Amino acid sequence: GAGVSQSPSNKVTEKGKDVELRCDPISGHTALYWYRQSLGQGLEFLIYFQGNSAPDKSGLPSDRFSAERTGGSVSTLTIQRTQQEDSAVYLCASSLNSGQGFYEQYFGPGTRLTVT
Amino acid sequence: SQQGEEDPQALSIQEGENATMNCSYKTSINNLQWYRQNSGRGLVHLILIRSNEREKHSGRLRVTLDTSKKSSSLLITASRAADTASYFCATAGHTPLVFGKGTRLSVIA
């Protein structure tokens, strides 16, 4: 079946502009996660959604970052007034049920964001 | 934090050799997972070991878990050039998965 998809695959934007990154999780997966990975670094947790529960936003680095998940499926990560330090690969993952990591996560290919 | 820390940061071996990567973490966990990442993009789940398990096998992969030492190891036997990638451990407990910074494995043909 279809895996996790993300769009766009690459995004170049000017400093100060807003960007939206999209994630389509695997159908039936109730948990959805966003991570950020800077060059040569590990994954930095940003936010996760679990069913209809309030999202865990504890990893968002600033109030310029926000995310929503409509209808329990597609999610959009929005970065307002982008800064150069926002340049990274943004990865989305989904999993069955629990957001506490009890199940393996399936990752999308990522969106490479470059802020000039 | 229960962040996993992989060791070594980088490893270079000849094809056919075994590769061992280690992961240490700080707090109690429900399970520990290993992932592989090629070319800096999406990660692929390799294996999950639960806190009440000590060893698990999957093909050429062998994972051990020592909860008393809060450590895990990933062994890849008979390595191939295609195993060249970054390998991450991730711990699961009362928070979403927390990933380490990874081990970069290079398998030279």
Side-chain angles (χ1 to χ4, degrees):
Chain A
V4 177
S5 61
Q6 293 185 245
S7 61
S9 56
N10 286 283
K11 176 71 176 180
V12 180
T13 190
E14 293 180 352
K15 178 181 174 181
K17 300 283 189 181
D18 297 351
V19 294
E20 285 189 351
L21 312 179
R22 176 187 168 105
C23 173
D24 283 88
I26 292 173
S27 178
H29 281 189
T30 58
L32 185 149
Y33 314 78
W34 284 98
Y35 297 90
R36 178 170 71 175
Q37 186 177 32
S38 300
L39 185 64
Q41 298 297 309
L43 274 70
E44 176 187 4
F45 164 73
L46 297 177
I47 186 172
Y48 92 83
F49 299 86
Q50 171 55 51
N52 295 320
S53 302
D56 178 347
K57 304 179 182 180
S58 60
L60 295 178
S62 78
D63 59 8
R64 296 187 295 104
F65 289 72
S66 63
E68 62 178 22
R69 188 179 186 190
T70 54
S73 181
V74 172
S75 177
T76 302
L77 176 69
T78 301
I79 308 173
Q80 296 178 309
R81 305 181 302 282
T82 53
Q83 304 294 313
Q84 288 186 331
E85 60 263 29
D86 299 335
S87 296
V89 175
Y90 289 81
L91 292 163
C92 174
S94 69
S95 73
L96 289 170
N97 209 346
S98 171
Q100 291 181 336
F102 294 166
Y103 297 90
E104 65 181 275
Q105 295 186 9
Y106 294 81
F107 281 81
T111 293
R112 185 180 301 279
L113 175 66
T114 303
V115 181
T116 61
Chain B
S1 128
Q2 59 187 46
Q3 182 180 27
E5 293 287 343
E6 292 90 345
D7 170 62
Q9 290 186 338
L11 179 62
S12 182
I13 60 174
Q14 296 290 323
E15 197 168 35
E17 294 180 338
N18 295 341
T20 300
M21 289 159 270
N22 302 296
C23 170
S24 59
Y25 57 92
K26 297 179 181 177
T27 63
S28 62
I29 60 172
N30 174 277
N31 67 68
L32 186 145
Q33 303 177 29
W34 284 91
Y35 288 79
R36 182 185 70 216
Q37 184 179 40
N38 295 90
S39 305
R41 299 302 280 249
L43 280 75
V44 174
H45 179 267
L46 295 176
I47 197 164
L48 181 155
I49 186 166
R50 303 189 190 284
S51 60
N52 61 353
E53 297 177 307
R54 292 297 168 258
E55 187 171 314
K56 203 162 184 179
H57 296 254
S58 176
R60 293 183 297 112
L61 305 180
R62 172 177 167 253
V63 169
T64 62
L65 178 65
D66 187 335
T67 52
S68 66
K69 296 181 179 179
K70 293 185 169 56
S71 68
S72 173
S73 67
L74 170 66
L75 169 68
I76 304 174
T77 61
S79 63
R80 305 167 182 169
D83 295 329
T84 295
S86 290
Y87 292 81
F88 296 87
C89 69
T91 52
H94 298 293
T95 59
L97 278 184
V98 180
F99 287 80
K101 293 185 178 180
T103 292
R104 294 187 304 278
L105 174 65
S106 297
V107 181
I108 303 167

